[in-house]
Amino acid sequence: MKKYAEMSKQELEDEIVQLKAQYKKFQEMDLNLNMARGKPCREQLDLSMGLMDALNSEADLSCEDGTDCRNYGVLTGIDEAKVLIGAMMENKPENIIIYGNSSLNVMYDTVSRAYTHGIMGNTPWCKLDKVKFLCPVPGYDRHFAITEYFGIEMINVDMTPEGPDMDKVEELVSSDESIKGIWCVPKYSNPQGYSYSDDTVRRFARLKPAAKDFRIFWDNAYGIHHLYDNNQDYLIEILEECKKAGNPDLVYKFASTSKITFPGSGIAALATSLNNLDDIKAQLTNQTIGHDKVNQLRHVRFFGDINGMKAHMRKHAEIIRPKFEAVLEILDRDLTPCGIGDWTKPNGGYFISFDAPEGCAKAIVDRAKKAGVTMTNAGATYPYKKDPHDSNIRIAPTYPSLPDLRTAMDIFTVCVRLTAATKMLAEIAE
Amino acid sequence: MKKYAEMSKQELEDEIVQLKAQYKKFQEMDLNLNMARGKPCREQLDLSMGLMDALNSEADLSCEDGTDCRNYGVLTGIDEAKVLIGAMMENKPENIIIYGNSSLNVMYDTVSRAYTHGIMGNTPWCKLDKVKFLCPVPGYDRHFAITEYFGIEMINVDMTPEGPDMDKVEELVSSDESIKGIWCVPKYSNPQGYSYSDDTVRRFARLKPAAKDFRIFWDNAYGIHHLYDNNQDYLIEILEECKKAGNPDLVYKFASTSKITFPGSGIAALATSLNNLDDIKAQLTNQTIGHDKVNQLRHVRFFGDINGMKAHMRKHAEIIRPKFEAVLEILDRDLTPCGIGDWTKPNGGYFISFDAPEGCAKAIVDRAKKAGVTMTNAGATYPYKKDPHDSNIRIAPTYPSLPDLRTAMDIFTVCVRLTAATKMLAEIAE
């Protein structure tokens, strides 16, 4: 097959006729497939049903230190949960607060607290004329939604396979006091599946922010979410690196078990310096008496330790790896011959990032929708939902069954080709 | 025995000598008893162990509408939890949001949201020079801690057995636009155990606030927490009453299962008008994808319906009623003859409110502490921890065992008498 760029007007017209016929067939199938969100599938959820037996009515619901998990108290989480989640996050238990069921909620609260009360004695952000955040793009829509909600101006910084463009990050952070934070998904990034290089992490730890209350919002959502046993990304631990660099308070690190056990019924955590923790605890003590200790204990009893958790993650990988491979196989099969599109090939996480020819993403997603395939909205991976190139589409392979996923991808690539060919034909015609 | 007020100097001196001897004996017992917080005791927690069996690895964790509770989604809570908690709160399911484990957290977030974004289009409180809250006193220390944390000026309003002084509330709320809220525990109030009269609730619903964004923070923490089968307080349902009065958006109502199942591992909820709900959901969608649906389902499966919950509450009452009765018996036995102190005799809730002679509360609590009995700090029941009369002490009878409680109360009344007698002697001497 010829690449589209090399096709004549007639060849493109013929291609479009043939693609339209395929597309029509798909439409007639009246499908309803969803690749929009990074949701685990049923088989993944089934892996954690043992969690429901980890505690029963005969169980002793007390901690090793005797604390009765059923009663009030323990603001920052039970010790054994800190040990388990500490191992997962590669941080010391004493640097950790265990929260409720949602790390997104922890991030929201972290921004909200900075907005209402300021960070470590600095002016509350609500009292400032202008607060800005750096947003590596494409990135995670729910991060951007939080900062947008607080009226924080978001500045795009391009992502590379090594992480954010650090020249740009350093330049902006060191020169503008109104820049107070940066959103990062440092490992198996959302949506690319990139992991920050050693150099990137080291440069993050050595930032010289103009703002004393600048913080890195380090959302390590996919820290142990590998797809392969042997081909695993590695990330330098940021808290330790910040400490080494003399910037111990520079980072808030977030994680949860949402994509390990049950989304919405897991436990979330924050790891940061002792100074930051004191600052946070002064607020937290007004917000709650404590989070769900029974659920913390349930997770500890279910996993035992980090080895139990890692063994569990291998089972997840076995389920979702074929799905990632199917997406990549179909993209390669259908699009490489046409020379259309670019996409990432991650070793972990929940997404594949697809870049369509400029100006095509919205039309592709609309076309797919009309054939029964729901993708993440085009633009969603950018602040204010504005992809300046109208190019990026996030593919979430985990939720559909493998046959459904293959069908959805068959449709997707037809939509990509049809949209690209139509655009190229129009450009020739001009 | 003579009342202290009728005693001569010599009689008071003799009394003090005898009380000091008793106090010394108690000190020598080296006790460690706690009546500080409204915590359920072990036997109460044991009542809910069945909750741990309500879901197991064989259970179908899907809702009646097919929603898989294990996965992401459902921002405002699963339908069957809204039905159950709606029955508990006496509100329609559609007026309810089910949250995480802590109604305190919901109240904090409600104040925080008003502070950062304003209520229904009104100016965010952080942009105002002055925001004030009315605080019926004595009241709940954790309410006051939230408003203090946000720099909200707190104005004391006296409580009566019918509820807050409504003449005062009406006068202040209608004349001062900076008054944005009032903290209420309308049923079995903390710490008195008072329940608002019909007239009080009707007047609340008919307030004419100067501030458009004034809201009643109606913390119905003890809605079904009766001590007796026959002698139960009744409260007019406030949302319905506000609607009748043409003030549908006036109230945020809070509740939780914290003192029904496990504190810290229950479910919390907010009930309010559809307008307020829309306002809240616009924020909530940025804060979280959803709360713990598995725990919501666990509670629904455990209780079945409101009748199951009410039967469960009768078991709580059987455990804690003798404790309340013991406190009242010992107060009456030891203090009525001396004519010292006033206290409440609640039909439900978690506390008894004790008023010592003016200027004695702090000394009494200190004395009790030194004899191994921890009470809620004197002053804690007032904003800024300042009891203008240094008189109120909150007694929390539920947590200690009955024998421990009796011992603690024996010590407490000795401390009250010793402190009062000493003060009276000093006054005679002056």
Side-chain angles (χ1 to χ4, degrees):
Chain A
M1 185 175 192
K2 256 192 189 172
K3 294 203 186 303
Y4 283 6
E6 295 160 9
M7 281 187 182
S8 67
K9 187 161 174 283
Q10 186 59 52
E11 285 167 325
L12 278 172
E13 281 168 351
D14 294 346
E15 174 78 359
I16 288 168
V17 166
Q18 176 263 358
L19 287 167
K20 279 189 172 167
Q22 282 188 53
Y23 181 73
K24 193 151 179 285
K25 270 192 197 159
F26 284 129
Q27 276 193 309
E28 284 161 3
M29 289 164 70
D30 201 19
L31 297 164
N32 183 11
L33 305 170
N34 197 314
M35 291 193 293
R37 304 297 320 177
K39 289 171 75 169
C41 63
R42 171 180 290 269
E43 291 73 20
Q44 287 180 273
L45 300 174
D46 287 344
L47 294 176
S48 297
M49 284 307 286
L51 188 67
M52 296 293 94
D53 294 335
L55 302 179
N56 61 30
S57 61
E58 303 299 314
D60 177 2
L61 303 193
S62 46
C63 295
E64 286 159 26
D65 71 359
T67 301
D68 190 337
C69 287
R70 303 173 303 176
N71 220 328
Y72 283 113
V74 192
L75 184 64
T76 62
I78 64 173
D79 287 347
E80 40 268 76
K82 289 185 185 177
V83 169
L84 176 66
I85 301 299
M88 176 184 105
M89 295 178 78
E90 302 174 333
N91 293 108
K92 293 180 193 155
E94 59 262 35
N95 289 109
I96 286 178
I97 296 177
I98 308 286
Y99 282 81
N101 73 323
S102 160
S103 60
L104 190 74
N105 199 332
V106 183
M107 292 180 241
Y108 177 100
D109 283 6
T110 303
V111 171
S112 186
R113 180 177 53 249
Y115 190 85
T116 61
H117 287 80
I119 293 175
M120 281 172 59
N122 290 285
T123 307
W125 296 354
C126 69
K127 304 293 183 198
L128 299 175
D129 289 334
K130 183 60 100 180
V131 176
K132 302 175 194 161
F133 255 58
L134 302 185
C135 299
V137 290
Y140 179 33
D141 55 352
R142 291 189 189 273
H143 286 163
F144 306 151
I146 291 172
T147 27
E148 183 171 2
Y149 181 67
F150 281 94
I152 294 169
E153 184 183 323
M154 294 180 278
I155 301 169
N156 293 0
V157 175
D158 284 334
M159 274 292 284
T160 78
E162 309 280 301
D165 175 344
M166 289 308 293
D167 289 343
K168 195 78 189 166
V169 169
E170 286 166 349
E171 179 202 322
L172 288 167
V173 165
S174 63
S175 62
D176 187 346
E177 208 190 342
S178 68
I179 296 176
K180 301 298 189 186
I182 181 169
W183 288 117
C184 294
V185 183
K187 195 164 177 182
Y188 302 134
S189 66
N190 180 349
Q192 306 89 346
Y194 292 151
S195 298
Y196 293 10
S197 71
D198 291 358
D199 187 54
T200 297
V201 179
R202 289 194 185 107
R203 288 174 74 175
F204 261 113
R206 282 158 189 83
L207 284 175
K208 305 259 170 280
K212 272 190 259 178
D213 52 351
F214 174 89
R215 291 292 181 276
I216 303 164
F217 286 65
W218 194 259
D219 181 8
N220 202 16
Y222 309 108
I224 59 170
H225 301 56
H226 309 288
L227 286 171
Y228 303 98
D229 274 353
N230 303 318
N231 208 1
Q232 300 187 343
D233 292 2
Y234 166 83
L235 186 71
I236 292 184
E237 201 295 303
I238 184 76
L239 255 73
E240 190 58 35
E241 192 62 26
C242 284
K243 206 171 169 184
K244 267 193 215 164
N247 275 329
D249 304 327
L250 195 60
V251 65
Y252 296 129
K253 184 174 169 183
F254 308 93
S256 81
T257 67
S258 290
K259 291 186 179 87
I260 298 175
T261 56
F262 297 150
S265 304
I267 54 180
L270 179 147
T272 191
S273 69
L274 300 184
N275 286 333
N276 282 327
L277 283 183
D278 284 345
D279 194 43
I280 293 167
K281 283 188 274 186
Q283 174 262 331
L284 193 59
T285 192
N286 295 303
Q287 189 177 24
T288 186
I289 305 173
H291 296 99
D292 186 343
K293 296 186 297 299
V294 169
N295 203 34
Q296 293 173 25
L297 189 69
R298 183 180 286 119
H299 278 74
V300 170
R301 298 269 172 92
F302 178 57
F303 287 119
D305 61 19
I306 185 65
N307 294 316
M309 199 182 266
K310 285 182 175 172
H312 187 80
M313 292 312 291
R314 281 194 289 273
K315 296 182 201 163
H316 277 289
E318 281 163 28
I319 295 169
I320 65 175
R321 186 173 54 237
K323 298 186 180 184
F324 277 78
E325 288 171 348
V327 169
L328 295 173
E329 175 206 321
I330 294 170
L331 289 172
D332 192 47
R333 181 196 71 195
D334 294 352
L335 302 183
T336 303
C338 325
I340 295 295
D342 294 290
W343 54 91
T344 57
K345 298 167 189 67
N347 292 326
Y350 261 65
F351 303 102
I352 287 164
S353 180
F354 180 82
D355 284 323
E358 180 148 355
C360 288
K362 201 177 167 314
I364 292 168
V365 171
D366 287 347
R367 269 213 170 85
K369 181 81 190 164
K370 285 175 190 151
V373 176
T374 304
M375 314 288 301
T376 310
N377 285 333
T381 53
Y382 281 77
Y384 312 107
K385 299 179 179 136
K386 282 182 196 153
D387 176 354
H389 307 291
D390 185 25
S391 165
N392 188 253
I393 299 172
R394 185 180 76 166
I395 300 175
T398 55
Y399 187 69
S401 69
L402 192 52
D404 280 355
L405 181 70
R406 295 195 74 98
T407 307
M409 284 306 298
D410 289 344
I411 297 173
F412 177 72
T413 57
V414 166
C415 295
V416 171
R417 289 165 66 193
L418 184 51
T419 305
T422 305
K423 181 159 185 279
M424 291 171 98
L425 182 64
E427 282 163 1
I428 290 175
E430 269 167 17
Chain B
M1 186 175 192
K2 255 192 188 171
K3 294 202 185 306
Y4 282 7
E6 297 159 6
M7 281 187 181
S8 67
K9 185 163 178 280
Q10 186 58 51
E11 284 168 326
L12 279 172
E13 280 170 354
D14 293 349
E15 174 78 358
I16 288 168
V17 167
Q18 177 264 0
L19 287 166
K20 279 189 173 168
Q22 283 187 52
Y23 181 73
K24 192 151 181 283
K25 269 193 197 159
F26 284 129
Q27 276 193 311
E28 283 161 5
M29 288 163 72
D30 201 19
L31 297 163
N32 184 11
L33 305 170
N34 197 314
M35 291 194 293
R37 303 300 316 180
K39 289 171 75 169
C41 63
R42 172 180 288 268
E43 291 74 19
Q44 286 179 273
L45 300 173
D46 287 345
L47 294 177
S48 297
M49 285 307 286
L51 188 67
M52 297 293 94
D53 293 336
L55 302 178
N56 62 30
S57 61
E58 302 299 315
D60 177 1
L61 303 193
S62 46
C63 296
E64 286 159 25
D65 70 0
T67 302
D68 190 336
C69 286
R70 303 173 303 177
N71 220 328
Y72 283 112
V74 192
L75 184 64
T76 61
I78 64 174
D79 288 345
E80 40 268 76
K82 288 184 185 178
V83 169
L84 175 67
I85 301 299
M88 177 184 104
M89 295 178 79
E90 303 173 333
N91 294 110
K92 293 181 192 153
E94 59 262 36
N95 289 110
I96 287 177
I97 297 177
I98 308 285
Y99 282 81
N101 73 323
S102 158
S103 61
L104 191 75
N105 199 332
V106 183
M107 292 179 240
Y108 176 100
D109 283 7
T110 303
V111 171
S112 186
R113 180 177 54 248
Y115 190 86
T116 61
H117 287 78
I119 293 175
M120 282 173 58
N122 290 284
T123 308
W125 296 353
C126 70
K127 303 293 183 200
L128 299 174
D129 288 334
K130 183 59 100 178
V131 175
K132 301 175 194 162
F133 254 59
L134 302 186
C135 299
V137 289
Y140 180 31
D141 55 352
R142 291 190 189 271
H143 286 164
F144 306 152
I146 290 174
T147 27
E148 183 171 4
Y149 181 68
F150 280 94
I152 294 170
E153 184 183 324
M154 294 181 277
I155 301 168
N156 293 359
V157 175
D158 284 334
M159 275 291 284
T160 78
E162 308 280 302
D165 175 346
M166 289 308 293
D167 290 343
K168 195 78 189 167
V169 169
E170 287 167 350
E171 179 203 322
L172 289 168
V173 164
S174 64
S175 64
D176 186 347
E177 208 190 342
S178 68
I179 296 177
K180 301 298 189 188
I182 181 168
W183 288 118
C184 295
V185 183
K187 196 164 176 182
Y188 302 133
S189 65
N190 180 347
Q192 306 89 346
Y194 292 153
S195 297
Y196 293 9
S197 70
D198 291 357
D199 187 54
T200 297
V201 178
R202 290 195 186 108
R203 288 173 75 176
F204 261 113
R206 283 158 188 83
L207 284 175
K208 305 258 171 280
K212 274 190 257 178
D213 53 349
F214 173 88
R215 291 292 181 276
I216 304 165
F217 286 65
W218 195 259
D219 181 7
N220 202 16
Y222 308 107
I224 58 170
H225 300 57
H226 309 289
L227 286 171
Y228 304 96
D229 274 353
N230 302 318
N231 208 2
Q232 299 188 344
D233 292 2
Y234 165 82
L235 186 71
I236 291 183
E237 202 294 304
I238 184 76
L239 254 74
E240 190 58 34
E241 192 63 27
C242 285
K243 207 172 169 182
K244 269 193 215 166
N247 276 328
D249 303 327
L250 195 60
V251 65
Y252 296 130
K253 185 174 168 183
F254 308 93
S256 81
T257 67
S258 290
K259 292 187 178 86
I260 298 175
T261 56
F262 296 149
S265 303
I267 53 180
L270 177 147
T272 192
S273 70
L274 300 183
N275 285 334
N276 282 327
L277 283 183
D278 284 344
D279 194 44
I280 292 167
K281 283 188 274 187
Q283 173 262 329
L284 193 59
T285 192
N286 295 303
Q287 189 177 24
T288 186
I289 304 174
H291 295 99
D292 185 343
K293 294 186 297 300
V294 169
N295 204 34
Q296 292 172 26
L297 189 68
R298 184 180 286 119
H299 278 74
V300 170
R301 298 269 173 92
F302 179 56
F303 287 119
D305 60 19
I306 184 64
N307 295 314
M309 199 182 267
K310 285 182 176 172
H312 187 80
M313 292 313 289
R314 281 194 289 275
K315 295 182 202 162
H316 277 287
E318 281 163 29
I319 295 168
I320 65 177
R321 186 173 53 237
K323 298 185 179 183
F324 277 77
E325 289 171 347
V327 168
L328 295 173
E329 176 207 319
I330 293 170
L331 288 173
D332 191 48
R333 181 196 70 196
D334 294 353
L335 302 182
T336 302
C338 326
I340 294 294
D342 295 292
W343 54 92
T344 58
K345 296 165 191 67
N347 292 325
Y350 262 64
F351 303 103
I352 289 165
S353 179
F354 179 83
D355 284 323
E358 181 149 350
C360 288
K362 201 178 166 313
I364 292 169
V365 170
D366 287 348
R367 269 213 169 86
K369 181 82 188 165
K370 284 176 191 153
V373 176
T374 305
M375 314 289 300
T376 310
N377 284 333
T381 52
Y382 281 78
Y384 311 107
K385 298 178 181 140
K386 281 183 197 153
D387 176 354
H389 307 291
D390 184 26
S391 166
N392 188 252
I393 299 172
R394 185 179 76 166
I395 300 176
T398 56
Y399 187 67
S401 69
L402 192 52
D404 279 356
L405 180 69
R406 294 195 75 98
T407 307
M409 283 306 298
D410 289 344
I411 295 171
F412 177 71
T413 56
V414 165
C415 294
V416 171
R417 289 166 68 193
L418 184 52
T419 305
T422 305
K423 180 158 185 279
M424 290 170 100
L425 181 66
E427 282 164 1
I428 288 174
E430 269 166 16

